[in-house]
Amino acid sequence: MIPVLWAAITITFLLIRYAPGGPFTEEKNFPEESLQRLNEHYGLTDPLWVQYWRYLGNMLRGNLGPSFKYPNRTVNQIIAETFPVSLELGTQAFLFACISGIVAGLLASLRPNSLWDHTCMAVAMTGICVPSFVLGPILVLIFALGLGWFNAAGWQSPADRILPVVTLGAPYAAYIARLTRGSLLEVLPREYVRTARAKGLSETHVLLRHVLPNALAPVVSFFGPAVAGLLTGSFVVETVFHIPGMGRVFVAAAFNRDYSLILGLVVFYAFLVVLFNTLVDLLLAWLDPRVRMEV
Amino acid sequence: MRPTLPVLTKLVAAAFVAGCASRETPVAIGNREQILHLGNLSEPKDLDPHIVTGVTEQNILSALLEGLVAEDPCDLHPVPATAATWDVSEQGRVYTFYLRREAKWSNGDPVKAQDFVFAFNRILSPGLGAPYAYMLFCLTNAESYYRGQITDFSKVGARALDDHTLELRLTSPVSYFLALLSHQSWFPVHPPTILKWGRMDQIGTPWTRPGNFVGNGPFVLKEWEPGSRIVVRRSDTYWDRDRVRLREVQFWAIGDHQIEERAFRAGQLHVTGTVPIDMLQFYRDRYPERLRLAPYFGTYYYLLNVRRPPLDDVRVRRALALAINREQIVRYITRAGEDPAYNFTPPGVAGYVPRARLTGDPVTARALLAEAGFPGGRGFPKLQLLYNTSEAHERIAQAIQQMWKDNLGITIELVNMEWKVYVAQTQSGKYDLARAGWIGDYPDPNTFLDMWVTGGGNNRTGWSNPLYDSLIREAAREQDPAARLELFQQAEKILMDEVPIIPIYFYRSKALVHPAVKGWFPNLLGRHPLKYVYLELPETGLER
């Protein structure tokens, strides 16, 4: 984990400084003196290795530096403000994707090749194919502008969560539905399921205790990449719905050449991805005793 | 599971519809409670008047702070603000301002002349690195102080004669001085607040955060949700608070124009910052009273790098300038009723209407190109036209590329680049032709014409004309307004004869405005002082 993080930081550090234009490149020319003063203040006039070393030292002490674009805020503050928003959006989208995906897949698998099954899977296919920057505005058009049920943008009231969460979660719900259905169709005809039913257990008991834990393993493996995608892919949804989350800040930081903010976010994201992959491994172990024994 | 699920779904859906159908839009609530929702286009870099340069920040700062002089909301002429009256003496070199005694900061402190002196000291401090410090260079010794040549601020031409009298001395008379003073670089700041968070010239302190910010304007800073919105509320200490009718204003930092327009349609914004070009016809047809288009003090033009042949030949430059059909561009591409630009300075400010015009047509253009050695476009190098990535710029560039091909027989390559890369390239002179735009900083032709002096910070063409330089210098000193405008006319003629830049059209401000918004007047700078704005529903009911 440490070497990966270190490599990410170093490569990012070098790459952003070689991109044309800097944090103070503006259309209306900065007077020479001002530019010089600002570059000095932010340490950009020091040799590159000095800046690098200083950044690493500060980072290890938990100080990710000031934002170059927003002088009255530090990177730590920006992350503290925006991460909870992205986390809330991502978590709710994830829950929505899991619940609707698993339920849809489950229902489809119980009546394979029926109209219900085909409809579910067709909707799922659309959910996977339609990108969020198309789906989002369509939902806004229908539910916000057409029916007037919601706001078109913003993250103020609880109702503002609904459209973005559906937009972000839709492709994952669709994927999970298809995975669940396929996996269940594979598990349901197995011998031990018939045995369980023969023992006289209720259908619900059979489904929940014997079928789902085995069938959900592929779905849970999908969680790792899904969560990473939900957290990082939220940029599009955050832009479409004007949500003050971290994804949008990340892209803006790149456009603004806000060096410290870009680096701080790279560090943070890299750490998150590694964390979530570890958690998923643990979850898989809990679900599947065979993996547990290996671990 | 089978019977309960459909029933459950129906119940949830019913509850949903019932709850949602009674939704009151933010605009409807705002109309009732005098809360104005403004689309402000981007997240402000900061709310410190001495370090910001954009219109986004200016809109908010004009609500939180007030300078010596303000602008009339209809025609922008200077009106008293923190200064109740003033005298001008020594032929325009000395201005003495008498501040209102009832002017107060938001924490109750009286606004004093020393606060203005402190503010000017701050923005001119070398340590702060303020990009707009040069706006104050008309004060005696201000430039020397900024460059660190002198360190005693008492030598600079800003002095507090007493708590309520401020004397400003200028190196030479500036006829538009009062118009300059409503710019945020001249705003006062509250010295104890600045000093509480660091040195006067310290970069990056949190003094502008809600709870810390102290201002003297009609509104106070209540909330700042970064990337989302900024909320300001009517001030209880502002001297003219009885005239302020709005209770609260929310500035929404929605950057994407399509999303902002949808928010307007959904009843979330009273006023938008702009209108997407593709929606102009929709509003013209369906809601014309909500569409506000007005001339804006800005020019869209192309830069020509006169250091690179064949652009060093004035005949080539004129040929390029004359082979463009500007009427078609404003009618079919930009579509907001813009005026084609045959000179550089937008007309209507300080009584200045440029006489110099680019006259000629494609036939003249072809003749010029032939004279320069490229008959029919033969032998003309394939130059590159740079522009920052945007659909609007792309459409215009493609149209012009086609016009040059059809009219002159030359091929120009279009190159789009990300904003910062584009700025870095044009600033360092690494381009042939580049798209550019300029918005005036203050209502005077000088803000447009002084760009092109030799070595000017914003002159990226490499063009130099000593006669032009001397005309601009003289105009800065000239006291008689008519004579001054005449000097500008001559300068504009030189500019249009030599065409280091090709003007294309004059900007229009575009906004969607809800009918309940009153006190919102169109003017050339697009400034709408919020102390005059209020919300009033018309007699007939509005659905949103």
Side-chain angles (χ1 to χ4, degrees):
Chain A
M1 174 166 157
I2 307 283
V4 170
L5 282 178
W6 175 82
I9 295 169
T10 309
I11 295 175
T12 310
F13 182 91
L14 292 170
L15 277 181
I16 56 183
R17 274 168 177 70
Y18 286 113
F24 310 115
T25 307
E26 303 278 336
E27 188 170 30
K28 290 206 175 170
N29 248 11
F30 264 59
E32 250 332 293
E33 289 85 351
S34 293
L35 208 53
Q36 180 67 14
R37 174 75 193 104
L38 288 169
N39 281 325
E40 265 167 27
H41 173 86
Y42 289 105
L44 295 176
T45 46
D46 295 331
L48 210 55
W49 67 270
V50 170
Q51 296 183 43
Y52 178 67
W53 209 242
R54 183 170 53 218
Y55 182 79
L56 276 186
N58 283 334
M59 187 200 82
L60 289 169
R61 266 168 285 164
N63 174 11
L64 293 170
S67 160
F68 290 5
K69 170 81 175 170
Y70 302 106
N72 65 68
R73 274 141 64 201
T74 65
V75 174
N76 292 36
Q77 281 167 348
I78 294 179
I79 294 180
E81 281 159 4
T82 54
F83 179 61
V85 174
S86 289
L87 186 64
E88 187 189 338
L89 175 63
T91 310
Q92 291 178 349
F94 179 66
L95 287 172
F96 166 75
C98 278
I99 296 175
S100 56
I102 292 175
V103 167
L106 181 63
L107 294 178
S109 70
L110 291 177
R111 293 190 191 77
N113 295 317
S114 65
L115 181 65
W116 172 253
D117 178 24
H118 286 302
T119 317
C120 265
M121 291 302 112
V123 170
M125 186 55 93
T126 337
I128 296 172
C129 298
V130 175
S132 44
F133 59 86
V134 171
L135 182 63
I138 289 180
L139 291 178
V140 166
L141 208 62
I142 299 173
F143 295 101
L145 296 175
L147 294 168
W149 289 355
F150 301 107
N151 283 329
W155 188 252
Q156 305 295 320
S157 65
D160 286 345
R161 269 72 172 159
I162 296 178
L163 290 182
V165 162
V166 170
T167 308
L168 184 57
Y172 299 97
Y175 215 73
I176 290 175
R178 293 186 72 88
L179 273 178
T180 308
R181 176 192 178 274
S183 180
L184 276 167
L185 283 180
E186 201 210 278
V187 168
L188 278 173
R190 290 269 180 83
E191 294 228 332
Y192 65 86
V193 176
R194 278 195 276 152
T195 310
R197 286 200 192 111
K199 282 202 272 182
L201 296 167
S202 74
E203 192 63 22
T204 318
H205 188 100
V206 170
L207 268 175
L208 289 180
R209 280 285 291 139
H210 294 274
V211 177
L212 277 181
N214 293 312
L216 284 184
V219 179
V220 173
S221 308
F222 176 62
F223 282 178
V227 170
L230 280 168
L231 282 175
T232 56
S234 63
F235 156 68
V236 174
V237 173
E238 286 171 15
T239 306
V240 170
F241 289 95
H242 187 61
I243 296 173
M246 210 162 81
R248 217 173 51 159
V249 166
F250 200 2
V251 179
F255 279 121
N256 291 328
R257 307 288 194 273
D258 194 339
Y259 297 150
S260 49
L261 186 53
I262 296 171
L263 270 171
L265 288 169
V266 165
V267 169
F268 192 71
Y269 267 125
F271 169 71
L272 278 183
V273 170
V274 171
L275 178 70
F276 276 108
N277 279 329
T278 314
L279 285 177
V280 165
D281 285 341
L282 290 174
L283 186 59
L284 265 175
W286 176 72
L287 269 182
D288 188 347
R290 296 172 295 182
V291 175
R292 217 181 293 158
M293 284 190 337
E294 284 167 31
V295 170
Chain B
M1 210 194 283
R2 237 182 285 170
T4 52
L5 191 59
V7 173
L8 205 62
T9 320
K10 286 198 190 105
L11 277 174
V12 167
F16 207 54
V17 172
C20 293
S22 58
R23 168 179 166 256
E24 201 185 4
T25 66
V27 158
I29 298 173
N31 291 342
R32 234 185 330 116
E33 314 211 340
Q34 293 291 328
I35 299 176
L36 181 72
H37 292 274
L38 274 181
N40 204 26
L41 291 183
S42 66
E43 171 68 10
K45 172 188 167 100
D46 197 350
L47 289 180
D48 184 331
H50 296 154
I51 66 170
V52 296
T53 59
V55 171
T56 304
E57 292 87 0
Q58 180 174 54
N59 291 340
I60 305 175
L61 286 171
S62 310
L64 297 175
L65 291 167
E66 190 183 58
L68 293 163
V69 162
E71 288 155 336
D72 178 270
C74 300
D75 61 16
L76 298 178
H77 76 263
V79 295
T82 309
T85 57
W86 52 85
D87 299 329
V88 186
S89 50
E90 291 189 33
Q91 293 124 354
R93 275 198 205 84
V94 177
Y95 285 75
T96 312
F97 293 92
Y98 303 97
L99 306 186
R100 280 170 213 285
R101 282 162 199 279
E102 64 278 25
K104 294 233 182 337
W105 292 101
S106 53
N107 67 344
D109 290 351
V111 178
K112 301 213 282 265
Q114 291 88 342
D115 300 339
F116 282 91
V117 175
F118 178 91
F120 301 157
N121 188 350
R122 183 167 185 265
I123 191 180
L124 288 168
S125 305
L128 191 63
Y132 261 178
Y134 67 83
M135 293 285 266
L136 276 75
F137 281 2
C138 50
L139 296 176
T140 51
N141 290 327
E143 194 170 346
S144 316
Y145 183 81
Y146 173 73
R147 299 202 194 285
Q149 290 154 3
I150 58 172
T151 50
D152 179 8
F153 192 75
S154 60
K155 295 211 173 59
V156 176
R159 217 159 50 113
L161 300 178
D162 61 51
D163 280 0
H164 291 98
T165 316
L166 178 71
E167 181 194 79
L168 297 182
R169 289 185 162 270
L170 309 180
T171 331
S172 54
V174 175
S175 61
Y176 53 90
F177 185 62
L178 290 176
L180 261 187
L181 292 179
S182 48
H183 190 266
Q184 71 239 19
S185 48
W186 291 89
F187 280 174
V189 287
H190 186 237
T193 303
I194 306 280
L195 296 174
K196 176 171 166 200
W197 295 98
R199 289 185 330 266
M200 178 209 277
D201 62 352
Q202 189 161 328
I203 297 175
T205 71
W207 78 265
T208 53
R209 302 258 194 83
N212 302 341
F213 194 103
V214 170
N216 68 331
F219 295 88
V220 294
L221 183 63
K222 267 277 77 81
E223 277 165 51
W224 187 347
E225 295 164 14
S228 182
R229 62 175 188 163
I230 291 183
V231 180
V232 303
R233 205 160 289 168
R234 179 171 56 213
S235 163
D236 297 324
T237 58
Y238 178 61
W239 64 269
D240 206 10
R241 61 188 170 276
D242 293 333
R243 195 194 309 223
V244 179
R245 290 172 64 167
L246 287 172
R247 225 189 52 171
E248 187 179 288
V249 181
Q250 299 195 8
F251 297 89
W252 289 87
I254 306 181
D256 185 299
H257 304 173
Q258 312 278 358
I259 295 169
E260 189 193 45
E261 188 274 322
R262 286 201 287 266
F264 179 81
R265 249 192 297 160
Q268 289 179 260
L269 295 176
H270 285 100
V271 183
T272 62
T274 186
V275 184
I277 296 182
D278 300 328
M279 296 299 292
L280 286 171
Q281 200 51 44
F282 170 82
Y283 280 95
R284 278 197 183 103
D285 295 337
R286 304 259 233 109
Y287 305 102
E289 74 286 355
R290 298 188 187 209
L291 181 65
R292 305 285 170 93
L293 303 172
Y296 192 55
F297 196 45
T299 308
Y300 189 100
Y301 61 103
Y302 280 175
L303 288 162
L304 300 177
N305 193 344
V306 312
R307 293 168 284 226
R308 293 192 177 179
L311 295 172
D312 55 351
D313 186 333
V314 65
R315 290 168 300 194
V316 169
R317 299 200 298 267
R318 286 187 66 78
L320 290 171
L322 295 175
I324 297 178
N325 187 330
R326 294 164 177 78
E327 302 283 342
Q328 280 186 343
I329 292 178
V330 299
R331 176 125 43 103
Y332 299 116
I333 303 182
T334 58
R335 289 184 267 163
E338 285 90 351
D339 287 321
Y342 297 101
N343 34 48
F344 187 60
T345 312
V349 128
Y352 178 72
V353 179
R355 284 192 308 265
R357 275 174 72 91
L358 279 170
T359 41
D361 54 11
V363 175
T364 328
R366 273 194 289 275
L368 280 167
L369 196 60
E371 221 184 284
F374 306 101
R378 273 195 305 278
F380 197 85
K382 191 162 159 190
L383 300 175
Q384 284 187 342
L385 171 62
L386 247 61
Y387 59 96
N388 54 300
T389 310
S390 134
E391 240 191 85
H393 300 327
E394 184 173 49
R395 290 184 197 165
I396 295 174
Q398 283 174 344
I400 293 184
Q401 177 191 45
Q402 192 62 41
M403 288 170 189
W404 281 335
K405 192 155 191 69
D406 293 340
N407 291 326
L408 299 174
I410 62 176
T411 309
I412 302 285
E413 189 188 335
L414 300 183
V415 178
N416 77 328
M417 26 185 73
E418 187 233 322
W419 171 249
K420 288 264 185 184
V421 182
Y422 150 81
V423 173
Q425 292 249 159
T426 50
Q427 273 178 358
S428 56
K430 297 203 190 85
Y431 70 97
D432 299 319
L433 306 101
R435 171 251 144 209
W438 185 259
I439 312 281
D441 286 323
Y442 46 87
D444 189 274
N446 193 56
T447 181
F448 278 84
L449 292 170
D450 83 344
M451 285 175 74
W452 309 111
V453 298
T454 306
N458 288 300
N459 181 355
R460 300 190 192 138
T461 61
W463 181 69
S464 166
N465 184 310
L467 182 54
Y468 185 87
D469 295 348
S470 67
L471 283 168
I472 300 297
R473 259 200 312 273
E474 244 187 273
R477 284 196 300 263
E478 176 60 60
Q479 299 175 58
D480 173 43
R484 186 167 174 268
L485 290 188
E486 195 48 42
L487 290 167
F488 282 139
Q489 294 281 9
Q490 292 176 35
E492 190 111 29
K493 175 148 194 350
I494 298 180
L495 198 62
M496 285 303 103
D497 285 342
E498 301 229 351
V499 266
I501 49 119
I502 300 181
I504 299 178
Y505 66 84
F506 294 127
Y507 283 140
R508 278 218 135 188
S509 63
K510 300 178 271 200
L512 297 171
V513 180
H514 192 275
V517 178
K518 304 280 187 268
W520 191 272
F521 308 105
N523 54 60
L524 209 56
L525 291 179
R527 305 246 177 101
H528 305 277
L530 292 170
K531 72 185 256 191
Y532 303 106
V533 177
Y534 60 98
L535 294 164
E536 195 175 72
L537 282 172
E539 295 292 308
T540 53
L542 280 168
E543 45 168 79
R544 253 184 214 160

